Amino acid sequence: MGMATTESQYHVLAVDDSLIDRKLIERLLKTSSYQVTTVDSGTKALEFLGFHEDDQSNPETPSISPNNQDVEVNLIITDYCMPGMTGYDLLKKIKESSSLKNIPVVIMSSENVPSRINRCLEEGAEEFFLKPVQLADLKKLKPHLMKTKLKDQEVDKPEGIQEKLAKQEFLSEKIHLQPEQQQQLPNSNKRKAIEETLSPDRTRPRYNGIATVV
């Protein structure tokens, strides 16, 4: 029950021009306790999301006022082959939009075409499922949804501070310098010092007064 309650907080927008496939993916998503909205075209998906063509190129152009401003979409799963706007076209629109680009997009297709799959993944799709989609496939959605939630929670948190501190400590240990000395080194000198530290001559054991036999 706890897992179902947690997953029901996620809202998935499913896009497919086939009524049968749309009903199937809706049933699978609801079985997995996700909230689901279905539409039959990429154009309707963009309208639901409140997307408008000129949101970046011409800020003065009036935008489409979505009827679902209070509805948050956490993931979009769309068919690849659709009339008019394909799933790939929809993916590109999402990733080119400053307000929608962080929404994970998953592509579905009944055809196993490697070039098509690679093109979608390169454009930013999180997954590419072959139809008919199975419950096992939908389990792959959770990490992408969790990642989005974590990003939302860390919006106000300073980025990269812990990573920078860890890197600085690592460099200090490798170069055998005190932190204040290491800060005085230019980046090029830091890199040179690391390379010298990790070179074969530096890493080979040396013993005072003892000859080593190779």
Side-chain angles (χ1 to χ4, degrees):
M1 292 296 291
M3 181 177 294
T5 302
T6 302
E7 293 184 350
S8 66
Q9 297 175 1
Y10 296 116
H11 180 211
V12 178
L13 176 61
V15 189
D16 202 315
D17 63 304
S18 167
L19 176 60
I20 295 176
D21 289 344
R22 199 162 62 246
K23 290 295 184 182
L24 174 61
I25 192 65
E26 180 181 13
R27 186 177 66 183
L28 289 174
L29 287 166
K30 287 185 176 180
T31 299
S32 300
S33 300
Y34 293 112
Q35 295 181 24
V36 188
T37 297
T38 60
V39 292
D40 59 8
S41 70
T43 302
K44 289 184 179 179
L46 292 177
E47 290 177 357
F48 181 84
L49 294 166
F51 175 88
H52 51 95
E53 290 286 349
D54 299 321
D55 62 346
Q56 293 177 330
S57 60
N58 188 1
E60 297 180 357
T61 302
S63 63
I64 297 174
S65 299
N67 297 323
N68 303 281
Q69 290 182 344
D70 58 335
V71 178
E72 178 185 5
V73 174
N74 304 113
L75 184 137
I76 299 166
I77 183 166
T78 177
D79 184 30
Y80 183 93
C81 294
M82 295 187 293
M85 182 182 295
T86 66
Y88 177 74
D89 294 333
L90 175 59
L91 169 66
K92 290 187 65 176
K93 295 283 188 184
I94 297 297
K95 296 307 175 182
E96 290 170 359
S97 169
S98 58
S99 59
L100 304 176
K101 63 182 180 181
N102 291 328
I103 302 177
V105 180
V106 173
I107 307 292
M108 306 176 289
S109 178
S110 57
E111 301 178 37
N112 187 0
V113 182
S115 60
R116 177 184 297 174
I117 296 172
N118 291 334
R119 184 170 63 165
C120 290
L121 295 176
E122 289 172 0
E123 192 63 37
E126 303 291 345
E127 301 281 352
F128 195 107
F129 295 156
L130 291 177
K131 290 183 175 181
V133 177
Q134 307 292 329
L135 274 175
D137 295 322
L138 297 187
K139 291 181 180 179
K140 299 177 183 178
L141 301 181
K142 191 66 179 292
H144 305 303
L145 291 163
M146 292 294 294
K147 184 169 59 177
T148 304
K149 284 291 185 183
L150 290 174
K151 283 183 180 179
D152 292 341
Q153 294 172 2
E154 295 178 355
V155 168
D156 299 326
K157 188 182 297 183
E159 296 183 358
I161 293 179
Q162 293 184 351
E163 290 79 359
K164 289 179 182 178
L165 291 175
K167 184 177 181 181
Q168 184 178 12
E169 183 179 353
F170 173 78
L171 291 174
S172 299
E173 292 177 356
K174 287 295 182 183
I175 306 175
H176 303 290
L177 293 177
Q178 296 300 321
E180 55 268 24
Q181 292 175 300
Q182 187 232 339
Q183 290 175 358
Q184 297 173 358
L185 280 175
N187 289 335
S188 59
N189 290 345
K190 290 180 186 178
R191 191 179 301 110
K192 182 178 179 182
I194 295 174
E195 291 174 353
E196 290 178 353
T197 304
L198 299 178
S199 65
D201 292 337
R202 294 292 181 128
T203 56
R204 183 179 300 159
R206 297 177 182 274
Y207 303 92
N208 293 329
I210 301 177
T212 58
V213 179
V214 180

